[in-house]
Amino acid sequence: VAGDAALYFAIFFVTTLVLAFGRQGYLLLDNRRAVIRERRLRSEVVRRNEELEALTALAATLTETLEEDPVIERGLAALRLAARASSIALYMPGREALELRAAAGEWATDAPWVTREPPSAWTYGIEVLGGRQIVRLTVSTRGHYLGLVTIVRREDDPVTGSEMGILRLLVDQVAIGVQNARDYRDRLEQAIRDPLTGLLNRRFVYEAFANEVERCHRYGTTGSIVLLDVDDFKQVNDTLGHTAGDGVLCEIGRITLGVIRAADSFARVGGEEFALLLPETSQLEALIVAERVRRAVAAASILPDRTITISAGIATWPEDGSALEELEGKADAALYWAKRNGKNLCAVATEVVVSEA
């Protein structure tokens, strides 16, 4: 009996011990699972915060600026943050193939692996090279192909399906921002350009004229304006038609742009009338420029059966005045004098006499 009791006690003790160890093991395993689950949740929260931060930064960019370069720069920064990428780059179409437009992160290190094939052969997708996961996403919106985003990330941190969805959304937002910036730039160009010749229009050049005169008042600088008019332009329209006349105006614009400085502004301000704004240009220098334009137009074969010539009037500030209306009036009077005295001439306001009548 005593032996049986000892045996039962031993069995009870062992069973209790096994149960205790089993429970302890279960608790340890459960705790381990809880730790893993907590880490996973923490990682998920961090990732979600990064995605939210990226979306917020990109949304702020799209509302703060309508310039293409800032949109691209901030858009790539947001994409890199959301993708947890070591580097990111945007390629856009060039003359022959895709060309690097902007990059962020460790692009200098990653680029040799990314550019192993000709850019023209790149397509969207995912590939693994050199321990790097390379993700390429097309950038397009409203039927416009804008380029290709290349994201480089560690191979041991593969991109999930949900992450690809977020990245695709961000890339689409960048595309919208870039296209909006381009549309805005095009509208600005249309607002200051003459639709026929592509030259600056009256509004732009006279606003720039007013700014230059104001700068003269403030800093004591000088400048000149040249008003030009095509001689006998009505005869061209009457004998050859308005299409030929339009061609003459476009060709005069092309010729003039080829002989003036980049800092000068040339505009069509009327039917056959043009204006040339010359900042930091004295009266003599302005006359030289006007003569250069006049000779270039007269020497060009614009029409096969006749020579096209222009006349010009020049006014310089502060010599000819300090008010915008006064300067324009004197340049116009000099142009009128050139027309009345044989045409194909350049006249300086201070050297001509035009009666009030």
CSV table of all heavy atoms in Angstrom, one decimal, residues 173-205:
chain,number,residue,atom,x,y,z
A,173,GLN,N,-0.1,60.8,-58.9
A,173,GLN,CA,-0.2,62.2,-58.4
A,173,GLN,C,0.9,63.1,-58.9
A,173,GLN,O,0.7,64.2,-59.2
A,173,GLN,CB,-0.3,62.2,-56.8
A,173,GLN,CG,-1.5,61.5,-56.3
A,173,GLN,CD,-2.8,62.2,-56.8
A,173,GLN,OE1,-2.9,63.4,-56.7
A,173,GLN,NE2,-3.7,61.4,-57.3
A,174,VAL,N,2.1,62.5,-58.9
A,174,VAL,CA,3.3,63.2,-59.5
A,174,VAL,C,3.0,63.6,-60.9
A,174,VAL,O,3.3,64.7,-61.4
A,174,VAL,CB,4.6,62.4,-59.3
A,174,VAL,CG1,5.7,63.1,-60.1
A,174,VAL,CG2,4.9,62.3,-57.8
A,175,ALA,N,2.5,62.6,-61.7
A,175,ALA,CA,2.2,62.8,-63.1
A,175,ALA,C,1.2,64.0,-63.3
A,175,ALA,O,1.4,64.8,-64.1
A,175,ALA,CB,1.7,61.5,-63.7
A,176,ILE,N,0.2,64.0,-62.4
A,176,ILE,CA,-0.8,65.0,-62.5
A,176,ILE,C,-0.2,66.4,-62.2
A,176,ILE,O,-0.5,67.4,-62.9
A,176,ILE,CB,-2.0,64.7,-61.5
A,176,ILE,CG1,-2.8,63.5,-62.0
A,176,ILE,CG2,-2.9,66.0,-61.4
A,176,ILE,CD1,-3.8,63.0,-61.0
A,177,GLY,N,0.7,66.4,-61.2
A,177,GLY,CA,1.3,67.7,-60.8
A,177,GLY,C,2.2,68.2,-61.9
A,177,GLY,O,2.2,69.4,-62.2
A,178,VAL,N,3.0,67.3,-62.6
A,178,VAL,CA,3.9,67.7,-63.7
A,178,VAL,C,3.0,68.2,-64.8
A,178,VAL,O,3.4,69.2,-65.4
A,178,VAL,CB,4.8,66.5,-64.1
A,178,VAL,CG1,5.5,66.9,-65.4
A,178,VAL,CG2,5.7,66.2,-63.0
A,179,GLN,N,2.0,67.5,-65.2
A,179,GLN,CA,1.2,67.9,-66.3
A,179,GLN,C,0.5,69.2,-66.0
A,179,GLN,O,0.3,70.1,-66.9
A,179,GLN,CB,0.1,66.8,-66.7
A,179,GLN,CG,-0.6,67.1,-68.0
A,179,GLN,CD,0.3,67.1,-69.2
A,179,GLN,OE1,1.2,66.3,-69.3
A,179,GLN,NE2,0.1,68.1,-70.0
A,180,ASN,N,0.0,69.4,-64.8
A,180,ASN,CA,-0.6,70.7,-64.4
A,180,ASN,C,0.4,71.8,-64.6
A,180,ASN,O,0.0,72.9,-65.0
A,180,ASN,CB,-1.2,70.6,-63.0
A,180,ASN,CG,-2.4,69.8,-62.9
A,180,ASN,OD1,-3.1,69.5,-63.9
A,180,ASN,ND2,-2.8,69.4,-61.7
A,181,ALA,N,1.6,71.6,-64.1
A,181,ALA,CA,2.6,72.6,-64.2
A,181,ALA,C,2.9,73.0,-65.7
A,181,ALA,O,3.1,74.1,-66.1
A,181,ALA,CB,3.9,72.2,-63.6
A,182,ARG,N,2.9,71.9,-66.6
A,182,ARG,CA,3.2,72.2,-68.0
A,182,ARG,C,2.0,72.9,-68.6
A,182,ARG,O,2.2,73.8,-69.5
A,182,ARG,CB,3.4,70.9,-68.7
A,182,ARG,CG,4.7,70.2,-68.3
A,182,ARG,CD,5.0,68.9,-69.1
A,182,ARG,NE,6.3,68.4,-68.7
A,182,ARG,CZ,6.9,67.3,-69.3
A,182,ARG,NH1,6.2,66.7,-70.2
A,182,ARG,NH2,8.1,66.9,-68.9
A,183,ASP,N,0.8,72.5,-68.3
A,183,ASP,CA,-0.4,73.2,-68.8
A,183,ASP,C,-0.4,74.7,-68.4
A,183,ASP,O,-0.8,75.6,-69.2
A,183,ASP,CB,-1.7,72.5,-68.3
A,183,ASP,CG,-1.9,71.1,-68.9
A,183,ASP,OD1,-1.2,70.8,-69.9
A,183,ASP,OD2,-2.7,70.3,-68.4
A,184,TYR,N,-0.1,74.9,-67.1
A,184,TYR,CA,0.0,76.3,-66.6
A,184,TYR,C,1.0,77.1,-67.4
A,184,TYR,O,0.8,78.2,-67.8
A,184,TYR,CB,0.3,76.3,-65.1
A,184,TYR,CG,0.4,77.6,-64.5
A,184,TYR,CD1,-0.7,78.5,-64.3
A,184,TYR,CD2,1.7,78.1,-64.1
A,184,TYR,CE1,-0.6,79.7,-63.7
A,184,TYR,CE2,1.8,79.4,-63.5
A,184,TYR,CZ,0.7,80.2,-63.3
A,184,TYR,OH,0.8,81.4,-62.8
A,185,ARG,N,2.2,76.5,-67.6
A,185,ARG,CA,3.3,77.2,-68.3
A,185,ARG,C,2.8,77.5,-69.7
A,185,ARG,O,3.1,78.6,-70.3
A,185,ARG,CB,4.5,76.3,-68.3
A,185,ARG,CG,5.7,76.9,-69.1
A,185,ARG,CD,6.8,75.9,-69.2
A,185,ARG,NE,6.4,74.8,-70.0
A,185,ARG,CZ,6.9,73.6,-69.9
A,185,ARG,NH1,7.9,73.3,-69.1
A,185,ARG,NH2,6.4,72.6,-70.7
A,186,ASP,N,2.1,76.5,-70.4
A,186,ASP,CA,1.6,76.8,-71.7
A,186,ASP,C,0.6,77.9,-71.8
A,186,ASP,O,0.6,78.7,-72.7
A,186,ASP,CB,1.0,75.5,-72.3
A,186,ASP,CG,2.1,74.4,-72.5
A,186,ASP,OD1,3.3,74.7,-72.6
A,186,ASP,OD2,1.7,73.2,-72.6
A,187,ARG,N,-0.2,77.9,-70.8
A,187,ARG,CA,-1.3,79.0,-70.8
A,187,ARG,C,-0.6,80.4,-70.6
A,187,ARG,O,-1.0,81.4,-71.1
A,187,ARG,CB,-2.3,78.8,-69.7
A,187,ARG,CG,-3.2,77.6,-70.0
A,187,ARG,CD,-4.4,77.5,-69.0
A,187,ARG,NE,-5.2,76.3,-69.3
A,187,ARG,CZ,-5.0,75.2,-68.6
A,187,ARG,NH1,-4.1,75.0,-67.7
A,187,ARG,NH2,-5.8,74.1,-68.9
A,188,LEU,N,0.4,80.4,-69.7
A,188,LEU,CA,1.2,81.7,-69.5
A,188,LEU,C,1.8,82.1,-70.9
A,188,LEU,O,1.8,83.3,-71.2
A,188,LEU,CB,2.3,81.5,-68.5
A,188,LEU,CG,1.8,81.5,-67.0
A,188,LEU,CD1,3.0,81.3,-66.1
A,188,LEU,CD2,1.0,82.8,-66.7
A,189,GLU,N,2.4,81.1,-71.6
A,189,GLU,CA,3.0,81.4,-72.9
A,189,GLU,C,2.0,82.0,-73.8
A,189,GLU,O,2.2,82.9,-74.6
A,189,GLU,CB,3.7,80.2,-73.4
A,189,GLU,CG,5.0,79.9,-72.8
A,189,GLU,CD,6.1,80.9,-73.2
A,189,GLU,OE1,6.3,81.1,-74.4
A,189,GLU,OE2,6.7,81.5,-72.3
A,190,GLN,N,0.8,81.3,-73.9
A,190,GLN,CA,-0.2,81.8,-74.8
A,190,GLN,C,-0.7,83.2,-74.4
A,190,GLN,O,-1.1,84.0,-75.3
A,190,GLN,CB,-1.4,80.8,-74.7
A,190,GLN,CG,-1.1,79.4,-75.3
A,190,GLN,CD,-2.2,78.4,-75.0
A,190,GLN,OE1,-3.3,78.8,-74.5
A,190,GLN,NE2,-2.0,77.2,-75.4
A,191,ALA,N,-0.7,83.5,-73.1
A,191,ALA,CA,-1.1,84.9,-72.7
A,191,ALA,C,-0.2,86.0,-73.1
A,191,ALA,O,-0.6,87.1,-73.3
A,191,ALA,CB,-1.3,84.9,-71.2
A,192,ILE,N,1.1,85.6,-73.4
A,192,ILE,CA,2.1,86.7,-73.7
A,192,ILE,C,2.6,86.5,-75.1
A,192,ILE,O,3.6,87.2,-75.5
A,192,ILE,CB,3.3,86.7,-72.7
A,192,ILE,CG1,4.0,85.4,-72.8
A,192,ILE,CG2,2.8,87.0,-71.3
A,192,ILE,CD1,5.3,85.3,-72.0
A,193,ARG,N,2.0,85.6,-75.9
A,193,ARG,CA,2.5,85.3,-77.2
A,193,ARG,C,1.5,85.7,-78.3
A,193,ARG,O,0.3,85.6,-78.1
A,193,ARG,CB,2.9,83.9,-77.4
A,193,ARG,CG,4.0,83.4,-76.6
A,193,ARG,CD,5.4,83.9,-77.1
A,193,ARG,NE,6.5,83.5,-76.2
A,193,ARG,CZ,7.7,83.9,-76.4
A,193,ARG,NH1,8.0,84.6,-77.5
A,193,ARG,NH2,8.7,83.5,-75.6
A,194,ASP,N,2.0,86.2,-79.4
A,194,ASP,CA,1.2,86.5,-80.6
A,194,ASP,C,0.9,85.2,-81.3
A,194,ASP,O,1.8,84.4,-81.6
A,194,ASP,CB,1.9,87.4,-81.5
A,194,ASP,CG,1.2,87.6,-82.8
A,194,ASP,OD1,0.0,87.9,-82.8
A,194,ASP,OD2,1.8,87.3,-83.9
A,195,PRO,N,-0.4,84.8,-81.5
A,195,PRO,CA,-0.7,83.5,-82.0
A,195,PRO,C,-0.2,83.2,-83.4
A,195,PRO,O,0.1,82.1,-83.8
A,195,PRO,CB,-2.2,83.4,-82.0
A,195,PRO,CG,-2.7,84.9,-81.9
A,195,PRO,CD,-1.6,85.6,-81.2
A,196,LEU,N,0.0,84.3,-84.2
A,196,LEU,CA,0.4,84.1,-85.6
A,196,LEU,C,2.0,83.9,-85.7
A,196,LEU,O,2.4,82.9,-86.3
A,196,LEU,CB,0.1,85.3,-86.4
A,196,LEU,CG,0.6,85.4,-87.9
A,196,LEU,CD1,0.1,84.2,-88.7
A,196,LEU,CD2,0.3,86.7,-88.6
A,197,THR,N,2.7,84.8,-85.1
A,197,THR,CA,4.2,84.8,-85.3
A,197,THR,C,4.9,84.0,-84.1
A,197,THR,O,6.1,83.7,-84.3
A,197,THR,CB,4.7,86.2,-85.3
A,197,THR,OG1,4.4,86.9,-84.1
A,197,THR,CG2,4.1,87.0,-86.5
A,198,GLY,N,4.2,83.8,-83.0
A,198,GLY,CA,4.9,83.2,-81.8
A,198,GLY,C,5.7,84.2,-81.1
A,198,GLY,O,6.4,83.9,-80.1
A,199,LEU,N,5.8,85.5,-81.5
A,199,LEU,CA,6.5,86.5,-80.8
A,199,LEU,C,5.8,87.0,-79.6
A,199,LEU,O,4.6,86.6,-79.4
A,199,LEU,CB,6.7,87.7,-81.7
A,199,LEU,CG,7.5,87.5,-83.0
A,199,LEU,CD1,7.5,88.8,-83.9
A,199,LEU,CD2,9.0,87.1,-82.7
A,200,LEU,N,6.5,87.7,-78.7
A,200,LEU,CA,5.8,88.3,-77.6
A,200,LEU,C,4.7,89.3,-78.1
A,200,LEU,O,4.8,89.8,-79.2
A,200,LEU,CB,6.8,89.1,-76.7
A,200,LEU,CG,7.9,88.2,-76.1
A,200,LEU,CD1,9.0,89.1,-75.5
A,200,LEU,CD2,7.3,87.3,-75.0
A,201,ASN,N,3.7,89.5,-77.3
A,201,ASN,CA,2.6,90.4,-77.7
A,201,ASN,C,2.7,91.7,-77.1
A,201,ASN,O,3.6,92.0,-76.3
A,201,ASN,CB,1.2,89.7,-77.4
A,201,ASN,CG,1.0,89.5,-75.9
A,201,ASN,OD1,1.7,90.1,-75.0
A,201,ASN,ND2,0.1,88.6,-75.6
A,202,ARG,N,1.8,92.6,-77.4
A,202,ARG,CA,1.9,94.0,-77.0
A,202,ARG,C,1.8,94.1,-75.5
A,202,ARG,O,2.6,94.9,-74.9
A,202,ARG,CB,0.7,94.8,-77.6
A,202,ARG,CG,0.7,96.3,-77.2
A,202,ARG,CD,-0.5,97.0,-77.8
A,202,ARG,NE,-0.5,98.4,-77.5
A,202,ARG,CZ,0.1,99.3,-78.2
A,202,ARG,NH1,0.7,99.0,-79.4
A,202,ARG,NH2,0.0,100.6,-77.9
A,203,ARG,N,1.0,93.3,-74.9
A,203,ARG,CA,0.8,93.4,-73.4
A,203,ARG,C,2.1,93.1,-72.7
A,203,ARG,O,2.5,93.9,-71.8
A,203,ARG,CB,-0.3,92.4,-73.0
A,203,ARG,CG,-0.4,92.2,-71.5
A,203,ARG,CD,-1.4,91.1,-71.1
A,203,ARG,NE,-1.4,90.8,-69.7
A,203,ARG,CZ,-2.0,89.9,-69.1
A,203,ARG,NH1,-2.8,89.1,-69.9
A,203,ARG,NH2,-2.0,89.7,-67.8
A,204,PHE,N,2.8,92.1,-73.1
A,204,PHE,CA,4.0,91.7,-72.4
A,204,PHE,C,5.1,92.8,-72.6
A,204,PHE,O,5.7,93.2,-71.6
A,204,PHE,CB,4.5,90.4,-72.9
A,204,PHE,CG,5.9,90.0,-72.3
A,204,PHE,CD1,5.9,89.3,-71.1
A,204,PHE,CD2,7.1,90.3,-72.9
A,204,PHE,CE1,7.1,89.0,-70.5
A,204,PHE,CE2,8.3,90.0,-72.3
A,204,PHE,CZ,8.3,89.3,-71.1
A,205,VAL,N,5.3,93.2,-73.8
A,205,VAL,CA,6.5,94.1,-74.1
A,205,VAL,C,6.2,95.5,-73.4
A,205,VAL,O,7.2,96.1,-72.9
A,205,VAL,CB,6.7,94.2,-75.6
A,205,VAL,CG1,5.7,95.1,-76.3
A,205,VAL,CG2,8.2,94.7,-75.8
